[in-house]
Amino acid sequence: ALDLALVQAGVTLGEALGREYRPVRFVVSTRLDPRRWLAIDPALEFKLDPEPDWTRDWMRELAATQRVRVLDFKGYYEGTPVDLEPDPALYREVAEAFPEALLEDPAWNERTSTALAGHEGRLSWDAPIHSAADLDRLPVPPRFLNVKPSRFGTVRRLLEALDVCRERGIGCYGGGQFE
């Protein structure tokens, strides 16, 4: 309906919201071995889900590619095929192995927060965000947010959250639901 209304009005979403378009940067979100992708295109960048079987050697090899941008701990998922049990040792090793990557959705408790101490500025949030009010419920003030429009329910709630992110200087990115 929104797309139809914009087409009928002859305006883009950016024009309707009074915002300019900026370049978009794409990364591959996969659970497959990224080296297979890099063999095809060495310039690709990735959003990956750390797995309990990742070894230090594997992480060093992957980090050496300098192509990993986001690591998603899936700390807020329950009862899904992508659930990951919060593992403070894995959190610490991932944070140290990938010093430039965002660390998305860590389960937050005494043990994991200790493991991620000093990396709070790289934390990003996704699954627990359904409205602008959720930003104030996070255990650490957000600097980054993976925005999934479908989680907000309405366009109004989505735009309200994006406005709050803009006001607070929270960097936003999207993806992970085949948008």
Side-chain angles (χ1 to χ4, degrees):
L2 177 59
D3 186 52
L4 177 61
L6 291 169
V7 168
Q8 289 176 342
V11 298
T12 67
L13 181 60
E15 291 168 339
L17 297 176
R19 297 198 180 154
E20 292 183 32
Y21 285 107
R22 297 185 314 210
V24 175
R25 180 172 163 190
F26 290 93
V27 301
V28 176
S29 180
T30 182
R31 292 183 148 237
L32 301 176
D33 184 341
R35 294 175 300 184
R36 295 165 65 191
W37 292 82
L38 290 170
I40 297 166
D41 183 351
L44 289 175
E45 297 177 313
F46 296 91
K47 177 181 183 282
L48 304 173
D49 301 347
E51 298 286 344
D53 63 349
W54 281 18
T55 65
R56 283 191 177 130
D57 288 341
W58 165 245
M59 285 188 257
R60 274 193 287 267
E61 184 179 332
L62 195 52
T65 68
Q66 299 182 335
R67 308 312 298 164
V68 180
R69 300 296 170 247
V70 181
L71 294 146
D72 188 351
F73 291 118
K74 304 286 188 200
Y76 290 86
Y77 288 86
E78 293 181 18
T80 74
V82 298
D83 291 7
L84 285 176
E85 200 58 40
D87 180 347
L90 178 65
Y91 283 19
R92 181 180 294 108
E93 289 175 14
V94 166
E96 291 172 359
F98 300 91
E100 303 298 319
L102 296 181
L103 306 170
E104 185 177 300
D105 275 358
W108 203 254
N109 58 45
E110 187 176 328
R111 293 176 61 224
T112 58
S113 63
T114 299
L116 292 173
H119 301 284
E120 294 87 354
R122 297 171 41 213
L123 298 182
S124 178
W125 307 96
D126 173 9
I129 306 301
H130 300 89
S131 70
D134 291 334
L135 297 172
D136 295 323
R137 294 185 186 106
L138 293 170
V140 175
R143 294 207 36 228
F144 302 96
L145 187 67
N146 181 349
V147 178
K148 291 195 171 70
S150 62
R151 287 208 171 112
F152 289 82
T154 67
V155 173
R156 178 181 299 260
R157 281 178 46 170
L158 169 64
L159 295 176
E160 286 169 355
L162 291 173
D163 284 342
V164 169
C165 287
R166 188 174 185 195
E167 291 165 10
R168 296 181 186 181
I170 299 170
C172 294
Y173 60 98
Q177 291 183 333
F178 300 100
E179 286 86 357

